[in-house]
Amino acid sequence: MTKLLEGLNPEQARAVAHTDGPLLILAGAGSGKTKTLTHRIAYLVQEKSIFPSNILAVTFTNKAAQEMRTRLYRLLDDRDMILPYLGTFHSIAVKILRSRISLLNFESSFTIFDSEDQLGLIKQAIKNLGLTSDKLNPSAVKHQISSAKNELVTPEVYRQLASSYFTEVVAKIYPEYQKLLRQNQALDFDDLLVYLVRILEEFPDVLAEYQEQFKYVLVDEYQDTNKVQYRLVSLLAAKHKNICVVGDDWQSIYSWRGADYSNILNFQDDWQDTEIIKLERNYRSTQHILDGAHSVILKNKDRSDKKLYAQAGQGEKIKLSTLYSDKQEASYILDEITRLHGRGVDLNDVAILYRTNAQSRNLEEFFIRYNIPYTIVGGTRFYDRMEVKDALAYLKILVQPKDSVAFRRAISKPSRGVGDKTLAGINSKLEASHADYHDLIKSPEQYGLKARALAGVKQLGLILGKYQSIKSEPLHQVLEEILEMTGLYKFYEDGTSEGHDRVENIKELISVAKSYQDSNLADFLSDIALLTDFDNWDSSQEKVNLMTLHSAKGLEFDTVFLVGMEEGLLPHINSMEEQSDLEEERRLCYVGMTRAKQNLYLTHTHYRTLYGRPMNNRPSRFLDDLDDQLVERVY
């Protein structure tokens, strides 16, 4: 028996060795799916002599992809081995689009707009169309357009489907927004997959090339795929049909992002002769925790059938507390964490999970008052901080001279005399002459600028022009020199602690750039744009972790407090009318419970202040599902 099968349980070993034909791995929570996936890839390379470039392995987070790479290096004992197509859907899409997007008349140096940039462009589209912006929520428009793209609905089709005042307004904004993206030579997050699918569908020779290349396709978290991801995988795996998907429909909690768990339930209908393997041995939680979670999920009608068995023994019972108020709830949690910490449980191995972000406020107040260190997981991204985006704007202009969002930031931080009115005039002239911002900074005299604005544009031109002479230097040196010349350090260093923190964040960006061995700015900017909230989460610090249930997916902790187990919170009040929504709330509860390894606490209160008003909610219906033998009532 090959060493790659050693240490695997029988089901895992079957999944690794079954290399040809469609394979569905139903992997319960904590059942070792990452281990199974990495061993399967290593088996293909080592035992089946498959070239790494012929394997497409898709994950949902960069962190998961990096973990798989690390394990593969160890399994194959080859740190020089490269799997070029192991990553998230979006990172793989970027890699392919850089060489293929010219087929859609886009430049290969396209930039990727983040959520804030998208909102700015949507506001610009609303303004261009002369719509009343105070009656429109740009975030709601953005969500609607994103949902359409995830369903592969084009602006033309969306216009035909619009049936309400709001959707009819969005039908006007959607094409204008896409026009502005093209003018900026930018793609938003959703476009990355939509455009890749377009290329594969519209250019058969390109599709044939990638179908031939990807002889083996592996997809993690398949229950979270949406329509465009489903379509992409189906196209690429259609020739060889060596497709392996791993997932758990019980943990599908992202329908609001377009995820369709029926993709995994219907997999065997989509692919003939599918082999189905269930991973039911749990290596994370105790049996009491698993049985409690199982009793909740059993009430869902639309689900697969499996039962998890703990390798860690029965463990302690689930602790259920009925408390008077949210303040008593916070005090009780604080006391329990202090007690557990005294018994040797690290604070970083403790998590408090809640349904809505607003529930963290009261908890945070208690942690601050009693000097207990904590962190909000899934909070503001490092790369979403204002000063970091300002620094990156200069690099974006170097890579993509049509990026108006980046130019606006670069020209105004620090201020160089170019206000909104002047900028609008510049953009109008650039569009009329089919020029870009590189043309502007080379010959600013042609744009009728006033003295201060002219001097400011010339200064920016000198800064960006100087880059041409240092482009052979390492990326971090290029970034540091540009930031020194722009005066961004002095702009933020205003003598306040906030200003100091902003400067430190800019310096941290330089530290990130040091991890890049060359000065490929496009790759650097793409990688940053695709990072998720959790890719920079440091789990080694001694801090209690606070997060929403949605943010907890994929994580595990020794001790979990699942708070606010009340009707209206979990299940959420907005999810109690439709059966499908209520079933997703059950899956969300299941995910929260199965994050715990040893200790699981469930709390609910008689009285809670939330959103500025008092609430008196009944205990969650999910608590009624728990067998009394699994529960220890503490309060």
Side-chain angles (χ1 to χ4, degrees):
M1 182 176 67
T2 172
K3 289 184 177 180
L4 289 173
L5 299 182
E6 293 177 2
L8 301 178
N9 66 43
E11 295 77 26
Q12 291 172 333
R14 278 180 57 212
V16 168
H18 185 282
T19 54
D20 297 326
L23 174 64
L24 169 61
I25 304 175
L26 287 173
S31 61
K33 69 179 180 63
T34 302
K35 181 177 184 178
T36 305
L37 267 180
T38 50
H39 276 253
R40 193 172 196 277
I41 295 172
Y43 190 89
L44 287 171
V45 174
Q46 190 173 85
E47 300 299 320
K48 294 291 185 176
S49 301
I50 304 300
F51 287 111
S53 60
N54 292 138
I55 299 171
L56 172 64
V58 187
T59 67
F60 266 77
T61 67
N62 294 288
K63 188 173 183 179
Q66 186 54 48
E67 180 182 354
M68 288 180 66
R69 287 185 187 278
T70 301
R71 293 193 186 194
L72 282 167
Y73 291 147
R74 190 163 57 243
L75 283 173
L76 297 173
D77 195 24
D78 183 2
R79 297 202 61 83
D80 295 324
M81 188 199 70
I82 298 174
L83 279 113
Y85 292 97
L86 189 163
T88 65
F89 274 104
H90 296 88
S91 65
I92 290 167
V94 169
K95 185 179 182 68
I96 296 174
L97 287 176
R98 288 292 179 202
S99 62
R100 300 292 184 173
I101 202 167
S102 59
L103 293 169
L104 300 179
N105 297 317
F106 258 90
E107 296 175 9
S108 62
S109 59
F110 65 85
T111 54
I112 304 169
F113 274 11
D114 62 20
S115 183
E116 183 181 340
D117 296 337
Q118 290 175 251
L119 281 176
L121 220 58
I122 286 171
K123 291 175 184 177
Q124 183 62 49
I126 292 171
K127 183 178 179 181
N128 291 354
L129 295 168
L131 300 172
T132 307
S133 58
D134 60 346
K135 293 184 179 180
L136 281 171
N137 182 341
S139 294
V141 174
K142 172 178 167 290
H143 176 74
Q144 192 74 8
I145 293 174
S146 176
S147 297
K149 290 182 178 182
N150 286 331
E151 290 294 314
L152 290 171
V153 175
T154 64
E156 296 75 22
V157 173
Y158 188 91
R159 186 183 303 112
Q160 297 170 12
L161 297 174
S163 58
S164 67
Y165 171 76
F166 177 66
T167 55
E168 286 174 356
V169 172
V170 174
K172 297 176 182 177
I173 299 171
Y174 188 179
E176 180 67 16
Y177 169 67
Q178 290 303 110
K179 186 182 85 173
L180 291 173
L181 280 171
R182 182 172 284 276
Q183 287 178 359
N184 284 271
Q185 285 296 299
L187 277 65
D188 65 24
F189 207 56
D190 302 309
D191 284 331
L192 295 171
L193 301 185
V194 171
Y195 283 8
L196 179 53
V197 168
R198 271 191 61 189
I199 289 171
L200 296 177
E201 290 184 334
E202 295 177 14
F203 299 91
D205 56 329
V206 177
L207 174 60
E209 180 181 333
Y210 283 106
Q211 284 180 335
E212 181 57 34
Q213 177 171 349
F214 297 134
K215 293 180 170 60
Y216 291 87
V217 176
L218 300 89
V219 186
D220 193 13
E221 304 287 6
Y222 194 66
Q223 79 281 348
D224 292 332
T225 52
N226 56 30
K227 185 171 182 177
V228 65
Q229 292 163 340
Y230 169 84
R231 180 62 180 152
L232 179 59
V233 170
S234 300
L235 285 168
L236 293 175
K239 180 177 181 179
H240 295 286
K241 296 181 175 55
N242 295 323
I243 178 171
C244 166
V245 302
V246 184
D248 181 9
D249 58 291
W250 294 6
Q251 298 186 72
S252 180
I253 58 174
Y254 298 122
S255 64
W256 49 277
R257 288 199 317 214
D260 185 356
Y261 68 94
S262 68
N263 289 343
I264 195 168
L265 292 180
N266 297 333
F267 182 82
Q268 58 188 320
D269 297 327
D270 294 336
W271 301 87
Q272 290 185 356
D273 302 319
T274 294
E275 178 80 7
I276 301 175
I277 298 175
K278 297 179 183 180
L279 303 184
E280 298 174 299
R281 303 189 192 199
N282 179 281
Y283 297 93
R284 175 192 299 157
S285 307
T286 62
Q287 194 64 52
H288 275 126
I289 293 172
L290 294 180
D291 288 346
H294 190 256
S295 64
V296 171
I297 203 68
L298 273 183
K299 291 295 180 69
N300 277 3
K301 295 180 179 178
D302 198 10
R303 59 173 174 80
S304 61
D305 183 33
K306 55 184 177 294
K307 181 75 165 69
L308 297 185
Y309 302 93
Q311 301 296 301
Q314 290 294 109
E316 296 185 14
K317 291 185 176 182
I318 299 169
K319 295 177 178 62
L320 173 60
S321 299
T322 303
L323 302 151
Y324 172 70
S325 68
D326 50 345
K327 293 191 180 300
Q328 188 186 25
E329 179 183 60
S331 178
Y332 164 68
I333 291 171
L334 194 74
D335 289 343
E336 281 298 298
I337 290 175
T338 302
R339 184 181 66 82
L340 290 167
H341 190 50
R343 287 171 45 189
V345 176
D346 290 338
L347 294 182
N348 63 354
D349 213 6
V350 176
I352 303 176
L353 311 182
Y354 36 80
R355 179 62 177 84
T356 67
N357 282 303
Q359 291 172 255
S360 74
R361 178 195 58 80
N362 193 57
L363 293 162
E364 289 185 74
E365 288 179 2
F366 269 76
F367 279 103
I368 292 170
R369 184 184 308 168
Y370 293 100
N371 199 31
I372 301 295
Y374 72 92
T375 184
I376 302 288
V377 180
T380 302
R381 239 178 33 120
F382 173 77
Y383 298 104
D384 286 338
R385 299 179 190 275
M386 177 175 61
E387 61 276 12
V388 175
K389 289 174 71 71
D390 291 341
L392 290 171
Y394 291 95
L395 302 184
K396 289 183 177 182
I397 284 295
L398 286 170
V399 171
Q400 181 42 255
K402 293 180 181 177
D403 189 336
S404 65
V405 176
F407 181 79
R408 178 188 288 271
R409 279 188 176 275
I411 201 68
S412 60
K413 299 283 187 71
S415 175
R416 294 187 174 85
V418 179
D420 289 345
K421 186 176 180 180
T422 302
L423 189 57
I426 290 173
N427 289 337
S428 179
K429 291 180 180 179
L430 288 176
E431 187 175 353
S433 59
H434 303 288
D436 57 38
Y437 294 111
H438 284 187
D439 297 317
L440 167 68
I441 60 179
K442 287 176 183 175
S443 306
E445 298 84 1
Q446 300 178 19
Y447 293 84
L449 302 175
K450 293 182 179 179
R452 184 167 177 238
L454 179 61
V457 174
K458 283 184 175 180
Q459 182 189 39
L460 183 61
L462 287 173
I463 295 170
L464 299 183
K466 185 174 174 59
Y467 173 75
Q468 300 302 318
S469 64
I470 60 174
K471 63 182 180 181
S472 61
E473 296 181 15
L475 177 57
H476 70 276
Q477 292 183 22
V478 173
L479 176 60
E480 190 162 22
E481 185 165 342
I482 288 176
L483 293 178
E484 286 287 354
M485 291 188 290
T486 61
L488 204 57
Y489 286 131
K490 292 181 180 178
F491 177 76
Y492 279 120
E493 188 61 276
D494 55 7
T496 65
S497 59
E498 181 183 5
H500 176 73
D501 289 343
R502 293 192 186 281
V503 171
E504 290 300 306
N505 284 334
I506 295 174
K507 290 180 178 178
E508 179 61 23
L509 181 63
I510 294 173
S511 297
V512 175
K514 286 182 179 179
S515 63
Y516 286 74
Q517 299 301 314
D518 54 37
S519 53
N520 189 329
L521 281 176
D523 288 347
F524 175 65
L525 293 172
S526 293
D527 288 352
I528 286 175
L530 297 176
L531 288 175
T532 66
D533 296 343
F534 308 106
D535 291 318
N536 296 298
W537 171 46
D538 184 0
S539 60
S540 65
Q541 297 182 10
E542 269 273 29
K543 294 181 179 180
V544 178
N545 301 281
L546 277 65
M547 69 190 81
T548 65
L549 284 162
H550 284 99
S551 297
K553 178 74 174 2
L555 305 177
E556 60 181 41
F557 303 91
D558 180 86
T559 301
V560 167
F561 292 84
L562 211 171
V563 304
M565 294 284 292
E566 299 146 27
E567 292 288 295
L569 277 178
L570 186 65
H572 195 273
I573 191 169
N574 294 336
S575 305
M576 294 168 65
E577 293 186 6
E578 297 292 333
Q579 181 64 28
S580 59
D581 293 337
L582 187 57
E583 291 208 352
E584 178 145 335
E585 291 292 295
R586 283 189 178 278
R587 295 195 295 269
L588 194 58
C589 182
Y590 175 85
V591 166
M593 295 175 74
T594 54
R595 298 311 93 195
K597 294 192 284 187
Q598 295 293 328
N599 306 301
L600 175 61
Y601 293 79
L602 307 178
T603 68
H604 69 94
T605 68
H606 294 300
Y607 170 87
R608 181 182 303 276
T609 301
L610 200 62
Y611 310 120
R613 65 179 187 274
M615 299 172 61
N616 297 91
N617 293 332
R618 293 182 294 106
S620 170
R621 68 189 69 188
F622 302 152
L623 296 177
D624 295 335
D625 300 331
L626 299 175
D627 191 314
D628 287 340
Q629 295 181 354
L630 302 174
V631 175
E632 175 187 351
R633 296 184 180 272
V634 181
Y635 269 82

